[in-house]
């Protein structure tokens, strides 16, 4: 795929793997469970699933179609199909990606650090998560290594090799999660976890639950910032976009869903609070691995965090690829220069997130925002996450749907989707058209605007 010239995925599997590799990452295994915990359990899960299939899936199809049609990056694509005035959508997306990668890389550092701790058999790390992430020197070093590896991969255009490795490693992670899930079911208190995760209590649904479920759906599917426009630009015209998008969505949602099935029985049987925030899996899992005995605990624990780091790597590669493709295509900058320049910038932008987990007080208690009308103190990292992931991504998705339906126009979308289409079933195309023209602009647009009003200005709409 992305080499110095514009490459192409050579098979559907290649594209689906790359896009699924981008989608499956820390978002599924780290972020999803703690968002479920913060959102009160099953009600969040239900809303998240509905958003993924009803709202996000059509946006994903639009992104891939725009990319394949134009064979360009996130900014160039909008210019080509619409007008130069539309380039800002792409720029907004690139900006969102840059900020997401800045904190994502810090969390990838946690995951990789946990791998090293597991190798040493340090299961106590779970209780010491808070002090662990405040040690910015070591986490920063892991983050630096992580960004370096990501940069080497993107600069050499060797994502293909990574995808081949992903073909083995991602299913391994899947199998490991299923194995751990079955083990979790045997523990005391497991049923309470399952109930919390699967039996919705509708009184838990607040505005905040809806906003964070939407942000999580976009984040998890790598949507709303042009990552799939960029990846779509490497897709062959013989491929069925709708079918590929369905496979990507199903893979991503299944991994997140199973991660939840695994983690909540553990959380409840360990007596940990499910709404404890970003440390949920990091606090819970080491104790679980310890319970497997010293040898098996080390083997399973180290394997788990190594595979998690790998899943994060296929995501950081996609996050870095977006601004790089823009600089290479539009600004004619050489790929290695674009890669290392961007990586340095993003690493620096990530420093406040790194320091804001206990090391520096002003960044740890960074500012006050609103959550369901209540004032709430958040860290710098939470702030970046709220802006970039929960606000920019749904906003990007709304604008992409509007652009596809009313600027590029639905007939052009349909013509693009029919290229390579393997079935002639009509209902799917009808739904996509309906969603892109009405459902996404209206529902997605409304939630995005309300999110901004409530979160940033404390204006209670509901
Ligand atoms: N989807 C990835 C995850 O769940 C994160 C990610 C990779 C992403 N590329 C993206 C998020 C592009 C938004 C946009 O871990």
């Amino acid at each position: 795929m992305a080499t110095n010239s514009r490459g192409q995925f050579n098979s559907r599997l290649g594209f689906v793997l790359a896009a699924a590799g981008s989608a499956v990452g820390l978002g599924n295994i780290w972020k999803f469970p703690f968002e479920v915990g913060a959102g009160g359990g099953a009600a969040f899960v239900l809303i998240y699933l509905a958003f993924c299939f009803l709202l996000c899936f059509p946006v994903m199809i639009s992104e891939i179609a725009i990319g394949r049609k134009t064979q360009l990056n996130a900014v160039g694509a909008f210019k080509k199909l619409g007008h130069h005035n539309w380039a800002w959508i792409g720029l907004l997306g690139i900006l969102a990606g840059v900020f997401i990668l800045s904190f994502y890389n810090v969390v990838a550092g946690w995951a990789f650090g946990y791998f090293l701790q597991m190798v040493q058999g340090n299961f106590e790390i779970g209780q010491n998560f808070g002090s662990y992430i405040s040690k910015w020197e070591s986490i920063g070093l892991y983050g630096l290594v992580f960004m370096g590896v990501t940069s080497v991969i993107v600069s050499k255009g060797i994502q293909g090799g990574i995808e081949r490795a992903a073909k083995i490693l991602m299913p391994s992670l899947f199998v490991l999660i299923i194995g751990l899930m079955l083990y979790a079911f045997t523990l005391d208190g497991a049923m309470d976890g399952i109930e919390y995760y699967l039996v919705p209590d509708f009184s838990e649904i607040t505005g905040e639950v809806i906003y964070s479920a939407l942000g999580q759906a976009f984040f998890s599917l790598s949507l709303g910032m042009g990552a799939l426009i960029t990846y779509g630009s490497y897709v062959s015209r013989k491929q069925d976009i709708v079918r590929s998008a369905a496979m990507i969505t199903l893979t991503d949602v299944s991994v997140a869903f199973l991660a939840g099935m695994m983690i909540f029985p553990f959380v409840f049987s360990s007596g940990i609070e499910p709404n404890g925030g970003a440390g949920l899996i990091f606090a819970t899992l080491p104790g679980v691995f310890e319970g497997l005995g010293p040898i098996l605990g080390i083997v399973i624990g180290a394997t788990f965090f190594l595979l998690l780091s790998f899943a994060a790597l296929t995501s950081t590669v996609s996050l870095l690829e977006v601004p790089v493709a823009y600089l290479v295509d539009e600004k004619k900058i050489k790929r290695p220069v674009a890669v290392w320049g961007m990586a340095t910038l993003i690493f620096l932008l990530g420093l406040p997130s790194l320091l804001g987990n206990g090391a520096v007080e002003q960044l740890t208690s960074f500012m006050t925002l609103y959550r369901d009308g209540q004032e709430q103190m958040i860290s710098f990292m939470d702030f970046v996450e709220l802006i970039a992931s929960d606000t920019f991504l749904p906003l990007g998705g709304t604008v992409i749907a509007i652009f596809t339906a009313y600027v590029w126009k639905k007939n052009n979308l349909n013509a693009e989707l029919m290229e390579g289409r393997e079935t002639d079933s009509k209902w799917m195309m009808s739904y996509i058209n309906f969603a892109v023209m009405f459902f996404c602009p209206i529902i997605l647009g409304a939630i995005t605007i309300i999110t901004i009003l409530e979160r940033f200005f404390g204006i209670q709409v509901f």
Side-chain angles (χ1 to χ4, degrees):
M1 51 163 296
T3 50
N4 291 347
S5 63
R6 191 153 270 279
Q8 207 174 59
F9 292 110
N10 44 21
S11 65
R12 173 163 84 208
L13 196 63
F15 166 62
V16 171
L17 273 179
S22 162
V24 174
L26 295 166
N28 307 57
I29 294 158
W30 159 72
K31 198 163 184 286
F32 177 70
F34 88 74
E35 295 275 3
V36 172
F44 179 98
V45 179
L46 207 64
I47 297 175
Y48 164 80
L49 291 176
F51 283 162
C52 283
F53 291 113
L54 297 178
L55 288 175
C56 294
F57 176 62
V59 174
M60 178 184 285
I61 288 172
S62 307
E63 276 202 34
I64 300 172
I66 290 172
R68 188 175 74 174
K69 176 73 193 173
T70 58
Q71 305 277 302
L72 284 171
N73 61 85
V75 171
F78 288 109
K79 285 191 192 161
K80 181 157 175 186
L81 292 183
H83 199 271
H84 279 246
N85 290 346
W86 287 91
W88 63 271
I89 315 175
L91 280 175
L92 196 79
I94 289 175
L95 206 65
V98 163
F99 277 100
I100 289 175
L101 184 51
S102 80
F103 76 78
Y104 199 90
N105 193 58
V106 174
V107 182
W110 300 352
F112 186 68
Y114 258 57
F115 160 67
L116 299 177
Q117 295 296 326
M118 289 300 115
V119 170
Q120 297 164 41
N122 177 11
F123 299 113
E124 278 73 58
I125 189 77
Q127 288 107 286
N128 303 326
F129 173 73
S131 73
Y132 175 74
I133 59 170
S134 72
K135 298 201 184 71
W136 64 273
E137 299 93 335
S138 49
I139 307 285
L141 182 67
Y142 304 145
L144 201 61
V145 172
F146 215 87
M147 190 65 97
V149 174
T150 305
S151 304
V152 170
I153 294 167
V154 177
S155 87
K156 294 204 185 303
I158 49 173
Q159 283 94 327
I162 295 300
E163 270 115 45
R164 272 195 294 280
K167 219 189 275 192
I168 305 162
L169 295 174
M170 295 217 314
S172 314
L173 181 63
F174 206 69
V175 171
L176 191 58
I177 290 175
I178 293 180
L180 286 168
M181 177 184 87
L182 296 176
Y183 169 62
F185 290 170
T186 67
L187 301 176
D188 283 344
M191 266 347 229
D192 297 333
I194 298 291
E195 194 181 322
Y196 176 82
Y197 186 59
L198 294 182
V199 184
D201 171 358
F202 291 103
S203 68
E204 293 277 354
I205 300 181
T206 63
E208 188 59 34
V209 170
I210 293 175
Y211 319 142
S212 48
L214 187 65
Q216 174 62 20
F218 270 85
F219 183 86
S220 179
L221 292 166
S222 300
L223 223 52
M225 57 150 286
L228 288 169
I229 294 181
T230 308
Y231 273 31
S233 74
Y234 309 123
V235 173
S236 127
R237 309 195 69 79
K238 294 198 199 74
Q239 277 188 49
D240 186 334
I241 291 181
V242 177
R243 201 154 169 169
S244 304
M247 285 163 71
I248 298 162
T249 306
L250 276 175
T251 308
D252 186 62
V253 169
S254 317
V255 175
F257 185 76
L258 285 175
M261 287 294 279
M262 165 193 86
I263 203 75
F264 285 101
F266 284 146
V267 167
F268 278 74
S269 75
S270 325
I272 291 173
E273 283 298 319
N275 60 359
L280 190 62
I281 71 158
F282 290 102
T284 309
L285 287 176
V288 172
F289 296 137
E290 186 173 22
L292 294 171
I295 311 251
L296 193 61
I298 291 182
V299 172
I300 302 280
T303 309
F304 180 86
F305 284 107
L306 190 64
L307 290 175
L308 180 61
S309 305
F310 191 84
L313 186 63
T314 51
S315 300
T316 52
V317 162
S318 82
L319 281 161
L320 188 58
E321 174 68 24
V322 175
V324 166
Y326 163 68
L327 291 176
V328 170
D329 285 353
E330 302 293 306
K331 304 284 172 204
K332 310 291 174 226
I333 295 177
K334 287 207 166 56
R335 181 167 271 267
V337 178
V339 168
W340 292 100
M342 262 298 154
T344 308
L345 176 75
I346 294 171
F347 184 78
L348 294 176
L349 284 173
L351 288 180
S353 293
L354 172 68
L355 295 170
N357 290 307
V360 174
E361 177 52 30
Q362 291 89 327
L363 294 167
T364 308
S365 304
F366 179 65
M367 70 181 294
T368 310
L369 280 184
Y370 301 89
R371 188 185 169 96
D372 288 326
Q374 306 288 317
E375 291 199 349
Q376 192 194 33
M377 183 60 93
I378 59 169
S379 70
F380 184 85
M381 184 159 138
D382 293 335
F383 175 68
V384 177
E385 205 179 310
L386 283 181
I387 297 256
S389 142
D390 283 10
T391 312
F392 275 28
L393 297 182
L395 183 64
T398 310
V399 185
I400 287 169
I402 294 174
F403 177 89
T404 304
Y406 301 105
V407 180
W408 188 29
K409 302 246 184 325
K410 91 169 205 249
N411 292 345
N412 291 318
L413 170 71
N414 292 345
E416 186 60 33
L417 296 183
M418 290 321 287
E419 292 256 357
R421 186 93 174 105
E422 286 167 14
T423 83
D424 50 10
S425 87
K426 298 274 179 299
W427 65 270
M428 181 64 103
M429 295 298 286
S430 311
Y431 179 71
I432 295 167
N433 279 303
F434 165 75
V436 172
M437 292 175 72
F438 306 108
F439 205 49
C440 295
I442 296 170
I443 308 279
L444 205 54
I447 302 177
T448 308
I449 293 168
I450 296 171
T451 305
I452 297 173
L453 292 177
E454 288 211 17
R455 274 227 180 105
F456 296 97
F457 301 100
I459 300 167
Q460 282 286 91
V461 178
F462 292 122

